[in-house]
């Protein structure tokens, strides 16, 4: 729905999904499939909120997604879940870069947003690079590292020296 420019519809569906996913994880907190779905929902909701200029709510969901990501242990060879984690970090990078781009250039809030985006994109890149070096990067994901590295360069330029 985001791609169709239906942000209100996307927000409604992500919020409904969040209630379901949260209950599932509460009932079975160690289930990696359910945790991944909740992380994805928080990340996608944060992105939709940022695109709707609801930055405080976007930050709340970004923080929730990041906390879940950081608390989830994945085996280094678990390629599909690690690739999803790389995507979620990139989504969180986008959330922060959207907010930073809307702030006044040179403003402390903008600089902090760009720095947070840079951190998220670097985490994403580290996973993509590790998957590639292990020889377990899916063919369809081959361009992801380059795309994330472009975002890293954009954010680094905005952060400055």
């Amino acid at each position: 729905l985001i791609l169709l420019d239906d942000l209100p519809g996307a927000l409604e569906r992500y919020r409904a999904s969040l209630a379901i996913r949260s209950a599932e994880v509460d009932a079975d907190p160690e289930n990696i499939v359910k945790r991944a779905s909740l992380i994805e929902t928080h990340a996608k909701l944060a992105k939709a909120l940022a695109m709707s200029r609801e930055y405080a709510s976007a930050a709340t969901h970004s923080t929730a997604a990041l906390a879940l990501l950081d608390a989830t242990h994945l085996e280094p060879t678990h390629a599909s879940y690690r690739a999803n984690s790389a995507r979620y970090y990139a989504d969180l990078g986008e959330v922060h870069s959207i907010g930073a781009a809307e702030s006044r250039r040179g403003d402390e809030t903008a600089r902090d947003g760009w720095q947070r985006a840079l951190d998220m994109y670097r985490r994403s890149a580290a996973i993509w690079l590790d998957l590639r070096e292990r020889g377990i990067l899916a063919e369809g994901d081959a361009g992801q590292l380059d795309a994330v590295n472009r975002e890293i360069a954009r954010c680094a330029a905005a952060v400055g020296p």
Side-chain angles (χ1 to χ4, degrees):
L1 291 173
I2 289 175
L3 295 176
L4 298 174
D5 232 7
D6 182 9
L7 285 174
L11 288 169
E12 178 182 334
R13 283 169 183 77
Y14 286 138
R15 286 182 174 125
S17 178
L18 182 64
I20 294 166
R21 304 293 179 235
S22 294
E24 290 175 343
V25 170
D26 287 345
D28 190 2
E30 299 304 314
N31 185 308
I32 193 68
V33 174
K34 293 175 182 178
R35 284 178 71 84
S37 292
L38 180 57
I39 293 166
E40 178 181 28
T41 301
H42 274 297
K44 298 297 184 186
L45 180 54
K47 187 174 172 181
L49 287 163
M51 293 171 77
S52 299
R53 297 184 173 172
E54 296 180 42
Y55 302 120
S57 293
T60 298
H61 290 285
S62 177
T63 299
L66 182 58
L68 285 164
L69 272 167
D70 288 347
T72 302
H73 172 74
L74 297 174
E75 294 298 322
T77 57
H78 208 300
S80 64
Y81 284 111
R82 293 195 64 229
N84 284 337
S85 292
R87 286 184 190 89
Y88 305 149
Y89 281 121
D91 283 342
L92 298 179
E94 187 174 357
V95 168
H96 291 293
S97 67
I98 290 169
E102 291 293 318
S103 298
R104 291 192 332 246
R105 187 154 181 87
D107 173 289
E108 188 65 31
T109 302
R111 183 174 169 77
D112 182 56
W114 288 117
Q115 186 61 55
R116 288 175 190 243
L118 182 58
D119 180 47
M120 295 298 102
Y121 284 125
R122 284 180 174 158
R123 290 183 190 202
S124 178
I127 295 169
W128 291 123
L129 181 60
D130 183 64
L131 291 172
R132 186 176 74 188
E133 288 175 350
R134 289 177 188 273
I136 57 174
L137 180 65
E139 187 176 320
D141 290 330
Q144 293 296 324
L145 181 58
D146 290 338
V148 169
N149 281 335
R150 283 190 296 276
E151 293 303 318
I152 288 171
R154 184 173 71 94
C155 293
V159 169

